[in-house]
Amino acid sequence: MSFAPNLLTKLKSLLTAFGEGFWKLLETLAALPLWRKSADLVRNLVDKLLEKIPEDKRLLALGGGGIAVLLLFAAVFFLARGSSPAPNRPIRGSNLSPQALIPSGELFLPAEPDFVPGVLLERERRTTWTMDDAAPWWQDPLKNGEERWRDRVEKTVDELLEKVP
């Protein structure tokens, strides 16, 4: 279970390095005449806040502050993003004519009519067939010559006999 203590020490060192970099940034900004007063104000504010937070709770407070800053940036991002016009609404003042817009009724195909015939679940079996009934399924083997059919039958019989052990 050395994962949690290692994680905490790495997190502390990361936050310490971040804090040092933050102070260096503030010092760089403080060197500028315009930012000197604001940097001193921020430094005093942060120092006063850190004095009020106990030593063992500072990490938790810094993490909560970081999350709050991220949420603030996210809120500003989403508010700024929401102020742009939606892509499906026409832009005011644009050069689009009303004829160029597609009516919403034409975007979807209408439902197809029900033209499928009903299903015949069962029918009575025929007892006798006429010549006209059997004609589509009957081929006269002697019509085109008997040799072709004889060769096919012999080939099929030979294949079957080869498979017999």
Side-chain angles (χ1 to χ4, degrees), residues 7-28:
L7 181 65
L8 287 177
T9 54
K10 288 180 181 179
L11 189 59
K12 285 181 183 178
S13 64
L14 179 68
L15 288 175
T16 304
F18 177 74
E20 290 173 2
F22 179 72
W23 288 122
K24 286 180 183 177
L25 176 66
L26 282 181
E27 288 172 359
T28 305

Side-chain angles (χ1 to χ4, degrees), residues 129-164:
W129 286 67
T130 65
M131 290 297 275
D132 293 335
D133 292 337
W137 292 281
W138 172 252
Q139 283 186 344
D140 185 11
L142 300 178
K143 182 179 180 184
N144 293 331
E146 148 184 20
E147 281 298 318
R148 194 177 101 199
W149 290 105
R150 184 180 301 280
D151 291 340
R152 285 181 67 184
V153 169
E154 286 178 358
K155 182 179 176 185
T156 305
V157 169
D158 288 342
E159 287 177 5
L160 288 173
L161 289 177
E162 285 176 3
K163 294 179 182 177
V164 174

Side-chain angles (χ1 to χ4, degrees), residues 75-146:
V76 168
F77 173 75
F78 285 116
L79 288 175
R81 187 171 175 224
S83 66
S84 65
N88 59 354
R89 284 187 268 150
I91 302 170
R92 289 185 184 152
S94 68
N95 56 0
L96 292 176
S97 65
Q99 293 83 13
L101 300 176
I102 300 172
S104 61
E106 292 182 13
L107 291 178
F108 298 100
L109 295 174
E112 293 186 21
D114 189 17
F115 59 87
V116 179
V119 178
L120 182 61
L121 296 177
E122 63 181 61
R123 66 175 188 194
E124 291 183 28
R125 190 173 189 167
R126 293 185 182 178
T127 55
T128 60
W129 286 67
T130 65
M131 290 297 275
D132 293 335
D133 292 337
W137 292 281
W138 172 252
Q139 283 186 344
D140 185 11
L142 300 178
K143 182 179 180 184
N144 293 331
E146 148 184 20

